Amino acid sequence: MEHIKKIFNTKPYNYYIFFGILLSLAPTAQQLGLLNSSTIIVLGTVIFYSVVGVGLNVLLGYSGLISLGTAGFMGLGSYMAAYLTVDMNLPYFLSVIISVSIPLAVGLVIGLISLRIQGYYLAIATLGVSEILKQVFIEMDTLTGGFSGKSAFYPKIFGLLELNRQFTFIGMSIVLVLILIFSHNFINARTGRAFLTMRGSESAAKAMGINLLKYKLTAFGIATAYAALGGVLYIHFIRFAYPSGWSVTLSLQILAVIVIGGMRKMNGPVIGAFIVFGVPELILKQIPIISGIDGLAYIFTGVLIIVVILFYPDGVIDLLNPIKDYIEKYKENKNEEKSLLDNQ
Amino acid sequence: MKKNHCLTINNLTMTFGGIKAVDDLSFQIYENEIYGLIGPNGAGKTTVFNCITQFYKPNAGQVIFNNKSDQSIDLVTYQTHEIIQEGLVRTFQNIELINELSLLDNLLVGAHVHYETGIFFQGLRLKKARDEEIKMKKKAEKILEFLELFERKDELVAGQPYGVLKKVELGRTLMSDPKLIILDEPAAGLNETETTQLAGLLRDIRLEYDCTILLVEHDMRLVMDVCDRICAISFGRKLGEGTPRAIQKNKRVQEAYLGTEV
């Protein structure tokens, strides 16, 4: 036990690797009959929304900027990936690079806007961008299939090997772990400190030599790149997208992900994504009486947001605090007993 | 001994609407000196401060600074965030630290401009980024030791006593290897003992880190105690300049502070 603790303490991101390994065992568990096939789909959903959530957490949690345009960028990434792989037959990895870079470029332009407007106004502006993108998805039906939607395949690696759902899931787990480690590293370094300083006080940031233009653009760039990457993962796993899926509701759900999971915590978006996108499907729908209620997931999320904001502003993970306290007390008591015995 | 100039203010003028907050003000600070800028409420001290640190752009006048590489530059042509690179760093009257970070990390923010690696080096934890971080942490720990805050280095800033926060902010300025530290009312909110300690600390900083200090201050005890020379202003104009003793005897300064006899 002590040994395991030591591994985690010396390299903090061993947690993420451990979590990733656990996650990639899920498809095997399904083949052994321990998990439903639908559970795998739900967990896959949790994975790509976690990636998107980590990006929004960098933007809102660490940098103090807001965006309600997440869904639009996610949609942009997914439609581009679908078009590039299905209609243009581009190799998978090339398509990923293009479908992340173009939304990234759009995101940087939004970043420029954020220098001029702040707070609610920025939220509304980003919401507008997202709605424009949604309208584009509907109108440009040669590229996006319009209302009837657009389908895609599982990722085809090196032009030969098309992955099945199990391997796609494992690939997604790896991407999530890499994203978590990468973000963990730059958040706990100069970039993360610059974000937090900018969030705390712009004048302090300026006095410390932090270039606001550069760091606001970086924050928006990361958020949109992660959102687009989440969209790419989505389209190659769910294999179908239609325009109404990329509405403001989704943006708000992703906002709920980071509020419930805990802002300024690297694992917050993962926990939040599991609660917002996993729990209603996996648990609430199994409960007999309430499973019939329409929009159960929304009610659940809404109630949870209120509870979290009122009682656990640092995220739902704090619900575990009483248990932690109990364990610590238990340990202390045991130690005391031991020392008493030793004295005797 | 010939004294090198560190900061020279030439004919600085700043107006807000029709009001002249600073009116044709000039003074000069020499290297390795503790200089005080004093004046009654509304004298324009903070405006001068903001004009030096480029939070405001003055309407007229020059702010000539002898920078780290010993070149005279006019700060007015620089952007706010570029000032610190030249060797001029400020503190805030209402402490502006980051509550979510530890004392050590708050100091590292002060070294922001000394980092060379970007987000990709940091995200991938390449050797260059790791070495740089270790180097900066050592520097920050040394400064925390100097400030006698080493034991608290991993504690969060939130909830620390006021005196500690003031020290951390001073420590953060030291991280940037400054030539000139400019302090906005450092004694505000401190009691008499703490003010005396602050005076000692400022002297130690000058000795240990070989820098010049400009105090913009309301508190006369601190200014008279620690400054080599003082400039007194009122309504944006210079009343007098000289040693603390000379300023105390200056008739015009007395009038500005105490009013004229009827």
Side-chain angles (χ1 to χ4, degrees):
Chain A
M1 192 66 203
E2 282 302 308
H3 188 67
I4 297 170
K5 256 191 183 167
K6 213 174 157 190
I7 293 175
F8 282 146
N9 285 340
T10 44
K11 280 223 169 91
Y13 47 71
N14 280 357
Y15 273 116
Y16 305 132
I17 295 172
F18 179 68
F19 168 73
I21 291 170
L22 218 63
L23 203 58
S24 29
L25 289 177
T28 320
Q30 185 224 334
Q31 273 165 344
L32 292 173
L34 297 172
L35 290 175
N36 282 335
S37 142
S38 65
T39 309
I40 296 295
I41 296 185
V42 173
L43 287 179
T45 315
V46 170
I47 292 178
F48 55 69
Y49 284 126
S50 299
V51 172
V52 180
V54 172
L56 188 64
N57 197 20
V58 169
L59 187 74
L60 180 62
Y62 291 97
S63 319
L65 300 164
I66 193 160
S67 166
L68 288 180
T70 326
F73 292 112
M74 207 179 154
L76 188 59
S78 71
Y79 278 123
M80 288 196 60
Y83 183 77
L84 292 174
T85 52
V86 176
D87 299 67
M88 294 187 62
N89 267 321
L90 285 188
Y92 178 69
F93 287 110
L94 182 63
S95 133
V96 172
I97 292 170
I98 300 174
S99 347
V100 173
S101 348
I102 292 187
L104 174 69
V106 180
L108 292 181
V109 176
I110 313 290
L112 283 178
I113 300 174
S114 77
L115 282 174
R116 291 269 156 194
I117 53 176
Q118 284 169 341
Y120 307 121
Y121 303 101
L122 184 59
I124 292 167
T126 50
L127 181 63
V129 172
S130 179
E131 288 299 302
I132 292 168
L133 283 172
K134 190 180 142 195
Q135 210 56 40
V136 169
F137 300 152
I138 295 170
E139 298 298 331
M140 293 183 68
D141 48 4
T142 47
L143 302 179
T144 65
F147 277 117
S148 39
K150 178 92 185 163
S151 36
F153 311 120
Y154 286 126
K156 205 184 259 178
I157 295 182
F158 307 121
L160 303 163
L161 185 69
E162 185 173 342
L163 300 178
N164 59 10
R165 198 168 73 199
Q166 278 77 15
F167 282 103
T168 312
F169 184 91
I170 293 172
M172 282 165 56
S173 314
I174 296 171
V175 171
L176 175 61
V177 171
L178 292 179
I179 287 288
L180 283 172
I181 292 176
F182 184 78
S183 313
H184 175 101
N185 285 344
F186 76 72
I187 282 299
N188 288 299
R190 174 207 198 195
T191 308
R193 290 191 292 265
F195 284 156
L196 281 169
T197 311
M198 191 165 79
R199 173 179 171 274
S201 146
E202 288 199 355
S203 27
K206 277 194 227 162
M208 290 301 121
I210 293 164
N211 187 343
L212 291 182
L213 171 70
K214 183 178 158 194
Y215 281 92
K216 282 190 174 176
L217 290 189
T218 310
F220 264 98
I222 289 165
T224 43
Y226 284 14
L229 182 62
V232 174
L233 296 179
Y234 166 94
I235 197 77
H236 288 298
F237 184 69
I238 305 289
R239 292 173 300 151
F240 190 75
Y242 50 93
S244 58
W246 313 113
S247 64
V248 61
T249 321
L250 181 62
S251 296
L252 292 175
Q253 271 180 312
I254 294 164
L255 195 62
V257 162
I258 66 165
V259 171
I260 292 174
M263 279 194 221
R264 291 184 291 288
K265 283 200 176 87
M266 209 28 87
N267 56 8
V270 182
I271 297 163
F274 182 75
I275 291 170
V276 174
F277 294 102
V279 170
E281 292 292 324
L282 295 179
I283 298 168
L284 297 185
K285 286 212 172 144
Q286 312 303 323
I287 303 169
I289 303 161
I290 58 168
S291 62
I293 303 170
D294 276 343
L296 180 65
Y298 295 121
I299 298 170
F300 173 70
T301 314
V303 171
L304 211 57
I305 286 179
I306 296 170
V307 171
V308 166
I309 290 177
L310 280 181
F311 302 109
Y312 304 100
D314 289 331
V316 82
I317 190 105
D318 284 357
L319 273 171
L320 298 177
N321 279 355
I323 303 173
K324 263 190 209 160
D325 292 346
Y326 181 78
I327 293 173
E328 252 162 46
K329 249 188 199 163
Y330 179 77
K331 268 189 195 161
E332 262 174 37
N333 284 343
K334 230 181 177 184
N335 283 342
E336 269 173 34
E337 271 173 33
K338 215 179 166 188
S339 59
L340 275 177
L341 281 176
D342 286 347
N343 286 343
Q344 281 173 354
Chain B
M1 193 181 95
K2 188 180 164 282
K3 283 177 182 169
N4 284 329
H5 95 108
C6 177
L7 182 80
T8 310
I9 308 287
N10 282 335
N11 310 96
L12 190 76
T13 302
M14 179 83 202
T15 54
F16 295 107
I19 299 157
K20 275 194 175 168
V22 180
D23 191 2
D24 203 24
L25 184 73
S26 303
F27 61 88
Q28 192 170 44
I29 305 172
Y30 300 118
E31 262 171 24
N32 220 337
E33 151 174 86
I34 300 183
Y35 193 89
L37 182 67
I38 60 164
N41 277 332
K45 299 187 296 287
T46 305
T47 311
V48 175
F49 189 104
N50 283 329
C51 286
I52 296 174
T53 51
Q54 301 309 314
F55 275 75
Y56 297 158
K57 291 287 171 200
N59 297 91
Q62 288 175 311
V63 181
I64 308 290
F65 179 59
N66 194 12
N67 73 0
K68 273 184 185 171
S69 38
D70 242 349
Q71 287 165 322
S72 287
I73 52 166
D74 187 359
L75 290 180
V76 179
T77 57
Y78 284 71
Q79 280 187 298
T80 319
H81 68 261
E82 294 168 341
I83 299 297
I84 191 168
Q85 273 159 325
E86 303 301 325
L88 193 157
V89 62
R90 69 168 288 183
T91 64
F92 291 86
Q93 191 180 341
N94 320 307
I95 300 161
E96 305 261 14
L97 293 169
I98 302 113
N99 286 333
E100 294 84 7
L101 292 179
S102 66
L103 263 61
L104 185 74
D105 282 335
N106 263 290
L107 254 66
L108 290 177
V109 172
H112 182 85
V113 289
H114 292 325
Y115 279 86
E116 279 164 10
T117 57
I119 184 164
F120 287 104
F121 275 83
Q122 293 155 15
L124 301 171
R125 265 176 76 80
L126 298 181
K127 192 169 182 313
K128 201 176 161 199
R130 284 197 312 256
D131 289 349
E132 199 174 49
E133 186 81 0
I134 291 168
K135 196 178 93 191
M136 296 299 176
K137 273 197 176 142
K138 276 196 184 134
K139 188 172 164 190
E141 280 171 1
K142 226 177 129 192
I143 289 174
L144 283 172
E145 254 172 68
F146 169 73
L147 297 170
E148 294 166 3
L149 291 173
F150 188 74
E151 304 77 46
R152 298 185 184 225
K153 72 180 166 97
D154 293 321
E155 291 175 24
L156 287 186
V157 154
Q160 297 283 349
Y162 199 70
V164 171
L165 298 180
K166 286 256 170 191
K167 274 187 175 180
V168 174
E169 218 189 20
L170 270 173
R172 186 172 70 177
T173 64
L174 293 176
M175 282 300 284
S176 64
D177 300 327
K179 265 198 84 176
L180 172 64
I181 305 177
I182 136 163
L183 307 169
D184 195 3
E185 308 223 356
L190 297 184
N191 63 30
E192 204 144 334
T193 348
E194 287 168 329
T195 309
T196 320
Q197 282 170 357
L198 178 70
L201 183 62
L202 292 180
R203 283 195 207 99
D204 287 347
I205 286 176
R206 165 167 64 169
L207 215 66
E208 193 86 8
Y209 291 90
D210 190 32
C211 47
T212 316
I213 296 173
L214 168 61
L215 289 174
V216 174
E217 187 51 83
H218 203 77
D219 186 286
M220 291 308 250
R221 284 167 305 177
L222 179 70
V223 176
M224 294 302 165
D225 187 16
V226 79
C227 290
D228 300 319
R229 286 190 312 134
I230 294 172
C231 171
I233 61 172
S234 182
F235 296 109
R237 285 165 185 275
K238 186 153 137 186
L239 295 177
E241 190 180 9
T243 59
R245 196 173 281 267
I247 286 292
Q248 269 172 334
K249 285 185 181 149
N250 187 313
K251 274 267 161 2
R252 292 174 64 197
V253 177
Q254 284 174 0
E255 275 172 18
Y257 266 90
L258 303 171
T260 45
E261 281 178 51
V262 185

